[in-house]
Amino acid sequence: MERVTVRMARSDRRTPWGFGVTEAPDGAVLIVNIIGGSLADRAGLRNGDVVDKLEDLDNLDINAVDRLLVTAHDKIELIVTRQSSGAATRIWRPEVTENTGPGHEHTPYRVNLQHSSDSRPPQGFNSTALPFETDQRVKHMQYNSPLGIYSDKSAAEQYVQQTQGLADNQG
């Protein structure tokens, strides 16, 4: 077992901490539901960590921890006890794979800088942008082109509409 101090700060109170708490059968408060990429994930909290202190207060029950998490403004400090699982400490390393096949003489390796190889998108985040081709509403290239605005016909129609009152007043 090890004790870990975790500090988190946020600039906007609407930004969630990114974890939940639950009560263990013995009354201890456990960290659960860490959201990937959240403040809690980046700070190093893990599912199953036991909350020993929150904001220098100890012997807290689940209701007190919930209340403190909701009322915390821009930063919190937790001291948690973590069960040693025998697993190594989580260290990020880029994934490097070899490019094989023709045409890869100049780029023999491919480097993936993604934080996690988890294929599930984080909850509440837009993890990847979608290309335009997947939108079924786009029927042709002119749909997204402003060139029709600048055509000779369009310019002539605009000129007539904008000068129509002037011509009527003079004539």
Side-chain angles (χ1 to χ4, degrees):
M1 291 180 35
E2 64 178 314
R3 288 187 73 158
V4 179
T5 302
V6 178
R7 293 180 185 96
M8 291 183 276
R10 61 186 178 184
S11 59
D12 185 3
R13 191 171 181 178
R14 293 175 292 188
T15 303
W17 296 116
F19 69 97
V21 290
T22 189
E23 190 171 14
D26 63 355
V29 180
L30 299 175
I31 302 292
V32 294
N33 301 329
I34 303 283
I35 297 173
S38 67
L39 292 172
D41 185 41
R42 289 182 280 168
L45 274 178
R46 295 185 190 166
N47 287 321
D49 286 350
V50 178
V51 177
D52 289 335
K53 285 187 176 185
L54 177 59
E55 296 297 320
D56 291 328
L57 300 171
D58 54 0
N59 297 326
L60 298 171
D61 64 351
I62 186 74
N63 296 326
V65 171
D66 275 337
R67 192 170 42 255
L68 285 170
L69 290 173
V70 169
T71 58
H73 290 284
D74 57 351
K75 59 184 176 180
I76 60 172
E77 180 177 316
L78 297 103
I79 298 177
V80 296
T81 301
R82 182 170 294 156
Q83 297 292 331
S84 299
S85 61
T89 303
R90 202 173 69 164
I91 298 175
W92 176 84
R93 289 190 180 97
E95 180 183 330
V96 179
T97 55
E98 220 174 311
N99 276 340
T100 58
H104 295 288
E105 292 80 23
H106 299 290
T107 56
Y109 297 101
R110 180 176 49 193
V111 179
N112 182 1
L113 298 177
Q114 189 176 4
H115 172 68
S116 173
S117 61
D118 189 4
S119 62
R120 295 175 300 137
Q123 296 177 359
F125 295 96
N126 181 7
S127 60
T128 57
L130 297 175
F132 283 107
E133 294 84 47
T134 61
D135 189 355
Q136 297 300 319
R137 295 176 295 172
V138 178
K139 304 295 183 197
H140 48 77
M141 288 302 293
Q142 288 82 7
Y143 181 83
N144 287 330
S145 174
L147 291 179
I149 296 172
Y150 305 110
S151 69
D152 291 337
K153 180 181 177 185
S154 177
E157 288 173 359
Q158 288 296 315
Y159 177 77
V160 168
Q161 286 178 0
Q162 292 176 11
T163 59
Q164 185 175 8
L166 296 175
D168 289 341
N169 290 339
Q170 291 178 0

